[in-house]
C-alpha cells in the first residue's frame, strides 16, 4: 500500500471496490468479507480517479457511449451498478463511486451509440445531475451520433439556463441569434450572451467576441471583439490569444498586423496553448511579423509532432506540400508521411489531403481510385472541401479522365450543404458551355443560390445576366443595381463590370462608365485603364481624345501585366 495513503482515502477505495464487487456480481457479501487491498488494487483505483456521485459517473458513462469507447455489455454492467447504488436504502453508505471507465474491458470493441448516451444522460438527470441537460443539448445540437434535433437541443439548453447555467444561457443566446431551433431573436439572444460576458465569465467573453467578428449579428465590431478577447485571455483563456492572433493575421475587419498577430500567438504559446505554438512556429517559417527563422519554427512544430499531435502532423504536411506557402522546397513524399500519421490519428483534413495526393500521384505512386475513395469518405461526412476537391480532380485531365457528371454531382452535394463556392462553380459550368451544353437559366439559378449564401461574385454574375437578359427576361435597371451595390462596397471588379454594362448598354452612359472604370483602377484593377484608353481612342460614347487614350495606355503599361478577369464581365 502506498505510504502516503490516509485512512479516509483507503475507506473510499474499499467502499468503491466493495460496491463494484457486490453490484457487478450480484453478490451479498459485506465489506468485511473482502480481502485486504493489494498495492496493485490501490494503484488501479488511484489511476481511475474515484467519482464523487452517481450523477457524475452516469455522465461519464454517457460520454463513453457517445464516443464509442464502451461496449454494450460493459455499459450494461456499469449501468446496473449505478442504478443499484442510486436505489440503495441507505444512501449514507455510498461514499464513493467507481467511474465508468472502470468497467471497460481491455480488448472490448465498441461503436458510438447516441441513443444509449441520451438514455444514460436522462438517468443522470433523474438523480439530480443538472449538467446532463447540457450534454443532451449538445447531443441533439451536434447531430453526430443521433439525428440532429435543434428544437429539442434548444429546450434542453433552456432548462439548463433556467436552472442557472451560464453555459445554457450562452447556448440559447447563440441559437436565438441564428434562429436555430427557435424563432430568430437577435436582441434577446445577444442580451443573454452579454449578461454572461459582462459578469466576467471567460466563456461568455469568448462567445461575445466571436459574435462581434463572424457576422452573425449582421454588423461587425472588431474593436469590441478585441476588448472581449483580451479580457478572456487575462482570465486564463489562452485560446483568446489565438483568436486575437488570427484576427490580426487575417485582417478580419481590421488592418492586417503580422507583428501584433505574432505577439498574441507568443502569449498563447507561453500559456501552453498548442494552437498558439503551431501558429507561432508557422509565422517564424514564413517570416511574418518577424525575421524568418525556419530552424526554430520547425523545432517548435516538430516538438508537438513528437507528442503525436494531429494538428502538428497536418501543419507539417501543409508546409512540405506547399499548402502553407512557405519558402521551404516542396517535398511531397515527406508531406505524404506527415499526412498519413495525421490521418491514422483520426484527422479528416489529413485524409482529404492524402486522397488528393493519391489521386494526383503526389509523393506516392498515383492511385486515382484509392484517392477518390478516401475523398468520398470524407465528403460523405458532410465535408464541403472534400466535395470541392473531388470536383477539381474529376475536371483535371492531368489527374486522369475527365468525368463531368461526377464533378457536377460533387458540386451539387456541396451546394446542398450551402456552400457558395460550389454553387458559383456550378453556375460557371452551366454558363460558359465549355464542358456541358450552356444552360443560362440553370446557371442563373445556381448563381442566385450562391448570392443568397453571401457570395459577392455570384451577385455580380446575377446582375450581369439580368442586365444582359441571359437566363431570364432582360432587367437592365435591376441588374446594374445589384452590380452597383457590390461596387459601392469597395469591390474593384464590381466597378469594372459596372463600367462594362454602362458602356455596352443600348443607351450608353459614357460619363458614368468612365467614372466606374476610374474607380476600378484606383482600387487596383489596372485593366480598367485599358478600357478607358479604348473609350477615348474609339470616341463612340465619349469624345475622342487620343492624348488621353495614350496616357491611360502608358499608365496601364507602367502598372505591369494585365491581370486575369475572374470576377469581371465576360
Amino acid at each position: 500500500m502506498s505510504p502516503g495513503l490516509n485512512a479516509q482515502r483507503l475507506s473510499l477505495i474499499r467502499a468503491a471496490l466493495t460496491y463494484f464487487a457486490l453490484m457487478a456480481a450480484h453478490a451479498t457479501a459485506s465489506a468485511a468479507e473482502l480481502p485486504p487491498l493489494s498495492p496493485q488494487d490501490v494503484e488501479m483505483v488511484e489511476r481511475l480517479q474515484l467519482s464523487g456521485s452517481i450523477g457524475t459517473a452516469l455522465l461519464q458513462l454517457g460520454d463513453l457511449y457517445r464516443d464509442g469507447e464502451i461496449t454494450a455489455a460493459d455499459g450494461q454492467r456499469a449501468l446496473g451498478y449505478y442504478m443499484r447504488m442510486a436505489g440503495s436504502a441507505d444512501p449514507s453508505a455510498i461514499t464513493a463511486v467507481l467511474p465508468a471507465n472502470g468497467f471497460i474491458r481491455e480488448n472490448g470493441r465498441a461503436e458510438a451509440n447516441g441513443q444509449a448516451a441520451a438514455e444514460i444522460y436522462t438517468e443522470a438527470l433523474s438523480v439530480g445531475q443538472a449538467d446532463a441537460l447540457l450534454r443532451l443539448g449538445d447531443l441533439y445540437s451536434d447531430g453526430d451520433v443521433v439525428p440532429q434535433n435543434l428544437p429539442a437541443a434548444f429546450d434542453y439548453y433552456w432548462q439548463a439556463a433556467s436552472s442557472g447555467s451560464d453555459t445554457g444561457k450562452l447556448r440559447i443566446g447563440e441559437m436565438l441569434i441564428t434562429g436555430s431551433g427557435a424563432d430568430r431573436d437577435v436582441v434577446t439572444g445577444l442580451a443573454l450572451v452579454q449578461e454572461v460576458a459582462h459578469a466576467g465569465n471567460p466563456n461568455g467573453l469568448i462567445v461575445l467576441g466571436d459574435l462581434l467578428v463572424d457576422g452573425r449579428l449582421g454588423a461587425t465590431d472588431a474593436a469590441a471583439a478585441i476588448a472581449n478577447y483580451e479580457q478572456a485571455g487575462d482570465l486564463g483563456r489562452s485560446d483568446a490569444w489565438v483568436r486575437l492572433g488570427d484576427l490580426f493575421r487575417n485582417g478580419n475587419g481590421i488592418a492586417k498586423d503580422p507583428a501584433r498577430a505574432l505577439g498574441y500567438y507568443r502569449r498563447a504559446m507561453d500559456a501552453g496553448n498548442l494552437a498558439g505554438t503551431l501558429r507561432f512556429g508557422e509565422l517564424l517559417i514564413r517570416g511574418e511579423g518577424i525575421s524568418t527563422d525556419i530552424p526554430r519554427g520547425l523545432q517548435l512544430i516538430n516538438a508537438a509532432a513528437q507528442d503525436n499531435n494531429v494538428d502538428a502532423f497536418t501543419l507539417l504536411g501543409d508546409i512540405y506540400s506547399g499548402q502553407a506557402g512557405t519558402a521551404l522546397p516542396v517535398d511531397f513524399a515527406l508531406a505524404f508521411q506527415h499526412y498519413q500519421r495525421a490521418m491514422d490519428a483520426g484527422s479528416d483534413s489529413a485524409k482529404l489531403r492524402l486522397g488528393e495526393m493519391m489521386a494526383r500521384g503526389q509523393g506516392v505512386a498515383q492511385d486515382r481510385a484509392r484517392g477518390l475513395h478516401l475523398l468520398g469518405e470524407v465528403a460523405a461526412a458532410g465535408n464541403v472541401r472534400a466535395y470541392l476537391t473531388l470536383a477539381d480532380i474529376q475536371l483535371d485531365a492531368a489527374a486522369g479522365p475527365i468525368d463531368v457528371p461526377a464533378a457536377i454531382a460533387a458540386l451539387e452535394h456541396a451546394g446542398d450543404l450551402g456552400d457558395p463556392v460550389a454553387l458559383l462553380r456550378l453556375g460557371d459550368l452551366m454558363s460558359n458551355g465549355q464542358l456541358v451544353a450552356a444552360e443560362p437559366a440553370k446557371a442563373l439559378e445556381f448563381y442566385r443560390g450562391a448570392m443568397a449564401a453571401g457570395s459577392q461574385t455570384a451577385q455580380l454574375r446575377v446582375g450581369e445576366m439580368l442586365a444582359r437578359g441571359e437566363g431570364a427576361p432582360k432587367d437592365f435597371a435591376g441588374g446594374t443595381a445589384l452590380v452597383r451595390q457590390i461596387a459601392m462596397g469597395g469591390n474593384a471588379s464590381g466597378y469594372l463590370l459596372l463600367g462594362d454594362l454602362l458602356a455596352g448598354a443600348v443607351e450608353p452612359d459614357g460619363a458614368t462608365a468612365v467614372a466606374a472604370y476610374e474607380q476600378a483602377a484606383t482600387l487596383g484593377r489596372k485593366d480598367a485603364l485599358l478600357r478607358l484608353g479604348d473609350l477615348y481612342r474609339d470616341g463612340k460614347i465619349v469624345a475622342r481624345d487620343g492624348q488621353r487614350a495614350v496616357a491611360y495606355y502608358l499608365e496601364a503599361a507602367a502598372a505591369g501585366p494585365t491581370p486575369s478577369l475572374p470576377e469581371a464581365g465576360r
Side-chain angles (χ1 to χ4, degrees):
M1 187 181 303
S2 50
L5 193 66
N6 60 34
Q8 181 181 15
R9 180 66 172 162
L10 178 58
S11 67
L12 290 175
I13 293 171
R14 278 183 170 157
L17 291 178
T18 298
Y19 279 110
F20 174 69
L22 294 179
M23 301 303 180
H26 303 284
T28 56
S30 66
E33 296 176 284
L34 294 177
L37 289 173
S38 70
Q40 291 77 16
D41 292 332
V42 173
E43 181 182 356
M44 179 195 74
V45 178
E46 289 280 86
R47 186 173 65 250
L48 291 175
Q49 297 180 341
L50 294 174
S51 173
S53 73
I54 296 294
T56 301
L58 285 169
L59 284 186
Q60 296 169 350
L61 180 58
D63 292 347
L64 293 174
Y65 269 116
R66 178 198 63 199
D67 300 335
E69 295 178 357
I70 194 168
T71 63
D74 290 346
Q76 284 301 313
R77 286 196 307 121
L79 182 60
Y81 163 64
Y82 295 139
M83 290 298 94
R84 289 183 179 85
M85 292 182 72
S88 171
D90 182 11
S92 63
I94 301 175
T95 56
V97 182
L98 195 71
N101 58 4
F103 292 86
I104 299 176
R105 292 170 177 164
E106 184 175 352
N107 296 319
R109 296 185 60 188
E111 293 182 0
N113 189 333
Q115 186 58 44
E119 293 172 359
I120 300 298
Y121 292 146
T122 302
E123 293 288 359
L125 190 60
S126 72
V127 296
Q129 178 50 264
D131 285 346
L133 291 167
L134 298 175
R135 292 288 212 291
L136 286 162
D138 291 344
L139 199 66
Y140 289 108
S141 175
D142 296 340
D144 293 332
V145 292
V146 296
Q148 188 179 59
N149 187 335
L150 293 178
F154 184 88
D155 183 61
Y156 283 122
Y157 290 143
W158 185 273
Q159 292 181 60
S162 299
S163 67
S165 167
D166 283 341
T167 301
K169 292 177 183 178
L170 293 175
R171 296 280 200 278
I172 62 173
E174 291 186 273
M175 294 183 79
L176 286 171
I177 288 168
T178 58
S180 303
D183 292 336
R184 191 172 190 221
D185 186 344
V186 175
V187 173
T188 301
L190 180 58
L192 283 167
V193 174
Q194 288 175 328
E195 175 189 338
V196 178
H198 293 166
N201 183 300
N203 296 332
L205 291 164
I206 290 286
V207 171
L208 183 55
D210 291 347
L211 290 170
L212 290 166
V213 295
D214 64 16
R216 281 179 288 170
L217 296 176
T220 59
D221 188 341
I226 291 168
N228 281 283
Y229 287 147
E230 287 186 335
Q231 188 178 351
D234 290 338
L235 290 171
R237 282 291 298 265
S238 62
D239 55 324
W241 305 126
V242 176
R243 281 172 162 81
L244 284 162
D246 291 347
L247 202 62
F248 282 97
R249 182 183 183 185
N250 300 322
N252 296 334
I254 55 174
K256 291 184 179 182
D257 189 338
R260 192 167 178 183
L262 188 82
Y264 283 123
Y265 291 146
R266 187 192 296 272
R267 294 189 69 171
M269 179 176 68
D270 291 344
N273 185 288
L274 188 57
T277 301
L278 295 178
R279 284 170 170 75
F280 187 82
E282 183 183 358
L283 291 193
L284 284 175
I285 294 172
R286 295 169 63 94
E288 291 183 15
I290 193 172
S291 298
T292 302
D293 189 344
I294 293 176
R296 172 62 175 154
L298 287 176
Q299 179 186 29
L300 290 170
I301 299 170
N302 280 317
Q306 288 173 2
D307 290 334
N308 293 318
N309 179 268
V310 174
D311 292 334
F313 289 138
T314 303
L315 178 55
L316 286 168
D318 290 344
I319 288 171
Y320 288 110
S321 68
Q323 294 287 312
T326 70
L328 282 169
V330 170
D331 186 336
F332 283 126
L334 188 54
F336 191 90
Q337 291 175 22
H338 288 300
Y339 284 137
Q340 182 74 60
R341 296 184 70 182
M343 185 186 80
D344 292 344
S347 170
D348 278 344
S349 63
K351 188 175 185 179
L352 187 157
R353 287 291 295 126
L354 276 177
E356 182 177 9
M357 293 179 77
M358 286 182 179
R360 298 186 184 280
Q362 297 173 328
V364 67
Q366 185 177 25
D367 187 343
R368 179 183 166 100
R370 174 62 176 160
L372 292 177
H373 177 74
L374 289 177
L375 287 168
E377 289 183 341
V378 180
N383 188 299
V384 166
R385 186 182 164 199
Y387 280 121
L388 294 176
T389 304
L390 277 169
D392 287 341
I393 292 170
Q394 301 285 14
L395 296 176
D396 185 359
I402 290 179
D403 189 340
V404 176
I408 290 175
L411 291 173
E412 286 179 337
H413 278 301
D416 290 341
L417 293 170
D419 182 63
V421 174
L423 294 167
L424 183 67
R425 290 176 61 184
L426 283 164
D428 290 345
L429 278 172
M430 300 298 169
S431 176
N432 60 38
Q434 294 178 357
L435 295 174
V436 295
E439 295 186 56
K442 200 165 185 178
L444 183 61
E445 180 184 348
F446 284 126
Y447 286 144
R448 287 186 190 277
M451 173 180 159
S455 169
Q456 291 190 351
T457 301
Q459 184 166 329
L460 294 179
R461 298 280 200 276
V462 172
E464 182 179 7
M465 293 188 75
L466 291 177
R468 299 185 189 281
E470 298 174 354
K474 187 172 183 177
D475 181 2
F476 186 81
T480 54
L482 288 173
V483 174
R484 183 177 283 107
Q485 181 184 34
I486 298 299
M488 293 182 68
N491 186 294
S493 295
Y495 277 115
L496 189 69
L497 177 55
L498 183 60
D500 289 345
L501 293 174
L502 293 171
V506 175
E507 297 181 4
D509 184 344
T512 309
V514 167
Y517 285 143
E518 287 182 338
Q519 189 63 40
T522 299
L523 291 170
R525 290 302 297 250
K526 301 306 179 185
D527 45 331
L529 296 168
L530 296 177
R531 305 277 215 286
L532 286 163
D534 292 346
L535 287 182
Y536 284 102
R537 179 199 63 193
D538 298 338
K540 293 180 179 179
I541 63 172
V542 295
R544 181 177 284 109
D545 188 334
Q547 289 185 336
R548 197 167 183 180
V550 169
Y552 280 124
Y553 290 146
L554 289 174
E555 187 178 350
T562 302
S564 60
L565 311 177
E567 297 179 0
R570 296 185 297 276

